[in-house]
Amino acid sequence: MPEPHARLDRSLGTAGVLFLTLSITTPASSLFVIVPGSLQIAGTGALLALGIAGVVCLATALIYAELSSAFPVAGGEYVMVGQTLGPAAGFVMLGVNACNNLLFPPVAALGIASVASTVVPGLPPVPVAVAVLLASMLIGILNIRFNALLTGAFLAAEVAAVLVILALGMATPVRDVLPLLLHPVAPAGGALVPATAANIGLATSVAIFALNGYGAAVYFGEEMHGASQRIARAILLALVGALLLEAVPIVAALAAAPDLAAFLSAEDPFGAFVRMRGGATLNLWVAIGILVAIVNAVIACILANGRFFYATARDGSWGRPIDAWLAAIHPRFGSPARATLVSGAIGIAACFLPLRLLLLLSGTGLIAIYAGLALATIAGRRRGSTGHAPYRMPLHPLPALATLLVLAVVAWLNALDPAEGQPALLATGAQIVLSALYYTLVLRRRGWTAHVRAPL
């Protein structure tokens, strides 16, 4: 049986953490699942939107790098905020992050059946999602070094799928991309019209989501050798890797797509591009690579979730019997086995909820999380609570201020959308209010705080 009070085993280097983090970022599945929406909105302006998103995400990655260097703890964001802005803000961050962390695996798993239709048509979404989550959960309790190697192997298949698009695009270019970048066009009624600033702005929001995941490196900080000195590098490398693996194939496909208007408006533009340029067999192998990428993301996210909930239990967030049970470490695998199983089981239960409801409940949590981290960076410098961090972001506090400004614009754009944006903002607001109430009514009297227990 697992032993409570044991520590996570430090067995990962920079490469292992990078494999796990890129697996969560999952650039290939973002390219095939998320980027098409950006192309439909902004057309060739999606590439410009991705560049803007890359600058925004760089600012956020610098924030993550500094805070993770100061607090490389499995609890991640809530520890960073709790240590700089106080326990009340820390638990609010914990509540919002818990919702986002728990909902991503079932949302991703429910999308596997539609992606798999190229390989095996007619798969039922819920049973497939449950099977993937169950397998990921069981894999997740194994040794973290084994999981880093496994996700690294899956990541290689993901990168291979991206390289296929790059190779096909470079082999048969039919246009120069630079004019499309300087004068972006978007699809409208089967024709191409100039892309507006609003189009590019909305596509930028999609691109930020497509690049997200680089900060997940912190969840593996307690299992990384020399985490304080190395984790910032893993975060920044993960962002650069995701940006290159998404931007370069877009450029290649835009240069080689025979019918640009059809490519930009297609539901599956990259799949159609591979079928047209490489044939059905190559498209089948690419589709398998994308399936592997999504499964890999689910596995890596389950791993991160297990460590997150292990940390929350170690900090005494849920009550003594539950905390002691969840904070156990498996004696053979050195993993937070129970916390991993619980987070996976919640994900399996969530598969039986409507996908639209899951997306609504995830809300606009990223806005709240990024805003909290930006404020934590500023407060940490002012109060000296991050003064021990080996990594210090350049141009402080400009990255934090730029992040807050962009988040305000994104929140405003969401508030203008009554169908999707406003309910999402309300869902995130409800998470914040409920977390604050739980802290005030239950945890404050216990003296709860987010601890940094592991050696830095």
Side-chain angles (χ1 to χ4, degrees):
M1 291 298 291
E3 300 173 0
H5 314 305
R7 291 185 182 274
L8 294 169
D9 179 30
R10 289 192 183 273
S11 58
L12 295 176
T14 303
V17 173
L18 181 60
F19 291 160
L20 291 163
T21 307
L22 271 175
S23 297
I24 293 174
T25 307
T26 186
S29 56
S30 292
L31 185 68
F32 275 76
V33 178
I34 300 173
V35 169
S38 186
L39 292 172
Q40 292 165 9
I41 294 169
T44 64
L47 193 59
L48 181 59
L50 191 62
I52 297 170
V55 174
V56 173
C57 289
L58 175 60
T60 312
L62 291 172
I63 292 169
Y64 263 108
E66 179 165 322
L67 292 174
S68 297
S69 179
F71 312 112
V73 181
E77 293 89 348
Y78 88 83
V79 178
M80 301 170 183
V81 172
Q83 287 286 320
T84 53
L85 297 176
F91 193 81
V92 167
M93 180 64 66
L94 187 157
V96 174
N97 222 14
C99 291
N100 278 264
N101 287 354
L102 283 174
L103 292 176
F104 175 79
V107 167
L110 285 168
I112 288 175
S114 61
V115 176
S117 61
T118 304
V119 182
V120 185
L123 287 176
V126 173
V128 169
V130 169
V132 169
L133 285 170
L134 181 61
S136 300
M137 181 175 66
L138 296 176
I139 291 170
I141 68 174
L142 302 177
N143 177 273
I144 188 62
R145 188 168 177 80
F146 167 80
N147 273 291
L149 293 172
L150 177 66
T151 54
F154 283 2
L155 188 62
E158 180 174 354
V159 171
V162 172
L163 291 178
V164 166
I165 298 172
L166 177 60
L168 292 175
M170 292 178 65
T172 55
V174 297
R175 68 181 60 84
D176 187 0
V177 175
L178 186 59
L180 300 178
L181 182 61
L182 296 177
H183 307 286
V185 291
L192 294 174
V193 299
T196 65
N199 293 146
I200 295 172
L202 288 172
T204 299
S205 299
V206 177
I208 290 172
F209 179 70
L211 292 172
N212 180 57
Y214 41 85
V218 69
Y219 296 119
F220 307 104
E222 292 183 35
E223 293 159 287
M224 185 181 193
H225 296 296
S228 290
Q229 290 76 27
R230 292 178 165 186
I231 199 163
R233 183 186 305 169
I235 290 169
L236 295 174
L237 285 174
L239 173 60
V240 171
L243 188 58
L244 289 176
L245 288 171
E246 292 181 34
V248 175
I250 295 175
V251 172
L254 288 176
D259 185 339
L260 188 59
F263 174 79
L264 294 174
S265 58
E267 291 294 326
D268 180 23
F270 296 99
F273 175 74
V274 174
R275 283 193 298 274
M276 183 174 295
R277 292 298 192 190
T281 301
L282 183 61
N283 181 59
L284 175 64
W285 284 107
V286 169
I288 292 172
I290 302 307
L291 285 174
V292 169
I294 297 175
V295 172
N296 197 28
V298 172
I299 293 172
C301 197
I302 291 286
L303 289 166
N305 286 352
R307 280 135 186 90
F308 170 80
F309 283 101
Y310 158 78
T312 66
R314 189 177 57 184
D315 283 337
S317 304
W318 315 114
R320 189 168 299 170
I322 298 174
D323 290 330
W325 191 82
L326 284 178
I329 298 294
H330 197 284
R332 179 179 176 186
F333 301 129
S335 65
R338 290 172 177 170
T340 301
L341 291 173
V342 167
S343 64
I346 294 173
I348 289 173
C351 289
F352 295 92
L353 298 174
L355 180 59
R356 182 177 173 81
L357 176 61
L358 294 178
L359 292 172
L360 174 64
L361 290 175
S362 66
T364 48
L366 276 180
I367 296 176
I369 292 167
Y370 285 177
L373 293 178
L375 294 172
T377 308
I378 296 171
R381 288 281 189 108
R382 277 189 162 187
R383 300 173 183 176
S385 49
T386 58
H388 61 282
Y391 177 83
R392 310 283 275 179
M393 77 169 72
L395 303 177
H396 175 82
L398 289 181
L401 295 175
T403 297
L404 290 171
L405 177 61
V406 171
L407 292 174
V409 172
V410 173
W412 176 69
L413 290 173
N414 276 273
L416 295 178
D417 179 12
E420 302 286 345
Q422 290 177 13
L425 286 171
L426 288 173
T428 300
Q431 295 165 18
I432 292 172
V433 170
L434 290 173
S435 300
L437 284 173
Y438 182 76
Y439 171 79
T440 302
L441 299 176
V442 178
L443 295 182
R444 184 169 63 179
R445 64 187 64 182
R446 297 182 190 167
W448 182 92
T449 190
H451 292 100
V452 181
R453 304 185 185 212
L456 302 179

